[in-house]
Amino acid sequence: MKGQFPLAEETPVELLVNGERVAVLMCTPRNLEDLAAGHLFSRGMLTDISRVLTIGACADLRVVTVVAPGAVTPDRFGLGQVIASGCGSASVVADAVALGTVPAGFEVGLGKLKAWSRAMFEAAVLYRKTGGMHCAALALPIGAPVPEGPAAALSMGGDGRDLPADASYFTVREDVGRHNAVDKVIGRACVDLVDFSSACILTSGRIAADMILKAVAARVPVVVSRSIPTTTAFEIAEATGVTIVGRIGDDEPIVYTRPERIRL
């Protein structure tokens, strides 16, 4: 029966770091290496990707293995203890502020963000096929520092698509979980040695607290969604200097925080 209907693929995948289980991720088992790198980096557990020796994944065995001796630390955000999304927590906001703020200075046009959002959805094959998946993108505008070497030639994170207009780097990933999709694009960009200070994250889903914490960890200044932020996400963004743009598909998107980064 299940083959007759579109379904969003989801399976538990064990994340092993230096031989120890760090997490079991409920995810779509694609681009698992990107997911592992992004999950560790965006939780503040891995800050130097150059210290990673190998990342290997086996979707059939439902396991992804990271070998990085001495490079992975405990979860700085305590997200393992945060159960409910969207439930305000003063301690979560305080912990985020203690990690520092995202530097000012980056600006991007609203028209570019709308174009990149459209490009993201055009590249999201599983989203269109099932209607039940999430997608995310990470973009750098023309003129921003881009990776050197092989990564500089990447388009759509190696997916074989042309770069959208006004982007010098653009990668798209999909997953049943919106936070996993964001981890995947952060992980891909992290491995590609992207300078996150000029980066924008775009997502199909609601922006919850963990999404903004990921942006803070990577020092990504702008987070964009077709949906809206939660109250805690808004509080964290206000406190840490992240710009949130919601309802990006509307004629007049909402700039919730740090509007000085957005050129209308």
Side-chain angles (χ1 to χ4, degrees):
M1 290 292 292
K2 70 179 182 180
Q4 301 177 21
F5 308 101
L7 296 171
E9 187 177 9
E10 181 182 38
T11 189
V13 172
E14 189 175 26
L15 174 57
L16 302 177
V17 178
N18 300 325
E20 297 185 6
R21 186 171 76 172
V22 169
V24 176
L25 305 172
M26 296 302 299
C27 63
T28 301
R30 300 188 181 198
N31 306 115
L32 292 177
E33 294 90 345
D34 296 341
L35 176 60
H39 181 80
L40 295 174
F41 186 74
S42 67
R43 289 179 65 172
M45 301 171 70
L46 174 66
T47 58
D48 186 356
I49 193 67
S50 68
R51 297 179 64 186
V52 175
L53 300 182
T54 61
I55 303 178
C58 181
D60 292 338
L61 296 178
R62 300 180 179 181
V63 63
V64 56
T65 301
V66 178
V67 178
V72 178
T73 61
D75 182 358
R76 292 162 62 195
F77 293 138
L79 289 179
Q81 286 71 51
V82 179
I83 304 302
S85 173
C87 298
S89 170
S91 63
V92 172
V93 177
D95 290 344
V97 172
L99 294 172
T101 59
V102 176
F106 175 69
E107 294 183 3
V108 65
L110 187 60
K112 288 184 182 181
L113 297 179
K114 291 175 75 68
W116 292 343
S117 180
R118 290 192 296 268
M120 174 184 71
F121 285 113
E122 289 172 2
V125 176
L126 296 177
Y127 173 85
R128 294 198 308 274
K129 180 179 179 180
T130 67
M133 298 288 287
H134 281 290
C135 54
L138 189 141
L140 297 180
I142 296 294
V146 295
E148 297 180 358
L154 286 176
S155 64
M156 307 298 284
D159 295 335
R161 293 175 176 266
D162 293 333
L163 289 167
D166 297 323
S168 60
Y169 178 93
F170 195 83
T171 188
V172 176
R173 293 290 183 262
E174 296 181 82
D175 199 276
V176 68
R178 64 188 187 278
H179 56 286
N180 289 338
V182 169
D183 275 346
K184 286 178 179 179
V185 294
I186 290 177
R188 180 67 263 161
C190 185
V191 171
D192 291 340
L193 303 180
V194 162
D195 180 353
F196 289 104
S197 67
S198 299
C200 301
I201 289 175
L202 302 102
T203 175
S204 60
R206 182 184 69 250
I207 302 174
D210 61 341
M211 307 272 273
I212 298 302
L213 288 171
K214 293 175 188 300
V216 175
R219 294 298 189 261
V220 172
V222 178
V223 178
V224 181
S225 176
R226 71 168 183 176
S227 186
I228 64 173
T230 65
T231 54
T232 304
F234 175 85
E235 292 170 7
I236 293 173
E238 280 273 86
T240 59
V242 176
T243 297
I244 295 179
V245 181
R247 301 290 191 190
I248 190 62
D250 291 357
D251 291 337
E252 296 184 3
I254 303 170
V255 182
Y256 287 89
T257 56
R258 302 300 170 112
E260 64 272 13
R261 288 202 182 96
I262 306 302
R263 297 193 300 269
L264 302 179

